[in-house]
Amino acid sequence: SAVISQKPSRDICQRGTSLTIQCQVDSQVTMMFWYRQQPGQSLTLIATANQGSEATYESGFVIDKFPISRPNLTFSTLTVSNMSPEDSSIYLCSVSPGPNYGYTFGSGTRLTVV
Amino acid sequence: DQQVKQNSPSLSVQEGRISILNCDYTNSMFDYFLWYKKYPAEGPTFLISISSIKDKNEDGRFTVFLNKSAKHLSLHIVPSQPGDSAVYFCAAAPPWETSGSRLTFGEGTQLTVNP
């Protein structure tokens, strides 16, 4: 299965600033997903990122707040913009090489906004 | 609308006994189901999966059962070990050709295995 390197692993940020999270995959994958896990809750899909096209956002998430880049088949970034304390969560990227291959997750970025 | 539900937020079992974690889903389009284990400060780790064409899949100490008519799946861990203590998430996906088969997660069950 793919190996994902996610950075940073954690950060404490001031409100109003932005943080960019990076995910590097050791193999080429078509589908890359970004999730959020708020404290005590399940994982919620933010968006699906395909190389060469605009990311597809889930209900409740917008590009201005969570811009995503997917410049190639092994790399993606998620930016959390204009942060507020409500954005304090764990953010995870995930990839899947194809149907029924399962999904691999990065180690997550624990974000605290103060 | 919570399409995947894990009704037990926590479960405590003795080492060596069976752990049974349950999950229910409502979306009949789901055809692929997965269980993940998550330790604090780490990303979820894939455990086992099952396709809707099967009703059972086994991998070592882990067995997943799928009851499509009841829209219910369960994860059995036998024998349970203290290292199994973690949060377990079930997840479901529609066919790959629909929306890239993104996962919908349950709320998670905290399993504690006591020595």
Side-chain angles (χ1 to χ4, degrees), chain A residues 4-102:
Chain A
I4 302 175
S5 173
Q6 184 172 342
K7 299 181 199 178
S9 58
R10 58 176 60 220
D11 208 341
I12 300 174
C13 301
Q14 296 289 325
R15 70 174 66 205
T17 62
S18 298
L19 175 71
T20 296
I21 302 167
Q22 300 180 4
C23 270
Q24 178 74 52
V25 190
D26 69 345
S27 58
Q28 294 185 338
V29 289
T30 304
M31 309 294 294
M32 188 174 274
F33 308 89
W34 287 96
Y35 288 85
R36 178 176 74 181
Q37 185 184 19
Q38 293 178 299
Q41 298 191 26
S42 184
L43 288 83
T44 302
L45 181 65
I46 297 171
T48 302
N50 293 335
Q51 191 263 338
S53 63
E54 293 262 339
T56 302
Y57 289 83
E58 298 299 304
S59 175
F61 298 96
V62 295
I63 188 171
D64 289 347
K65 176 67 175 177
F66 298 101
I68 288 171
S69 78
R70 184 82 201 274
N72 56 53
L73 291 173
T74 63
F75 186 78
S76 179
T77 66
L78 170 77
T79 299
V80 186
S81 304
N82 189 24
M83 289 184 285
S84 66
E86 292 71 34
D87 294 320
S88 297
S89 297
I90 299 173
Y91 292 85
L92 299 121
C93 62
S94 175
V95 300
S96 178
N100 296 331
Y101 275 82

Side-chain angles (χ1 to χ4, degrees), chain A residues 10 31 33 35 37 41-43 45 48 58 90 92 96-108 110, chain B residues 2 31-32 34 36 38 40-44 46 49 51 89 93 96 99-108:
Chain A
R10 58 176 60 220
M31 309 294 294
F33 308 89
Y35 288 85
Q37 185 184 19
Q41 298 191 26
S42 184
L43 288 83
L45 181 65
T48 302
E58 298 299 304
I90 299 173
L92 299 121
S96 178
N100 296 331
Y101 275 82
Y103 299 73
T104 303
F105 284 82
S107 54
R110 183 178 294 270
Chain B
Q2 188 71 25
D31 73 344
Y32 187 55
L34 309 92
Y36 284 86
K38 187 179 184 302
E42 294 184 12
F46 171 74
S49 64
S51 165
F89 290 98
W96 182 264
S99 304
S101 200
R102 62 193 190 279
L103 294 176
T104 300
F105 283 85
E107 307 94 324

Side-chain angles (χ1 to χ4, degrees), chain B residues 52-68:
Chain B
S52 60
I53 63 174
K54 294 186 173 182
D55 55 18
K56 176 183 175 182
N57 189 25
E58 192 171 355
D59 184 2
R61 296 187 297 115
F62 302 92
T63 303
V64 56
F65 295 91
L66 175 63
N67 182 334
K68 290 186 289 292

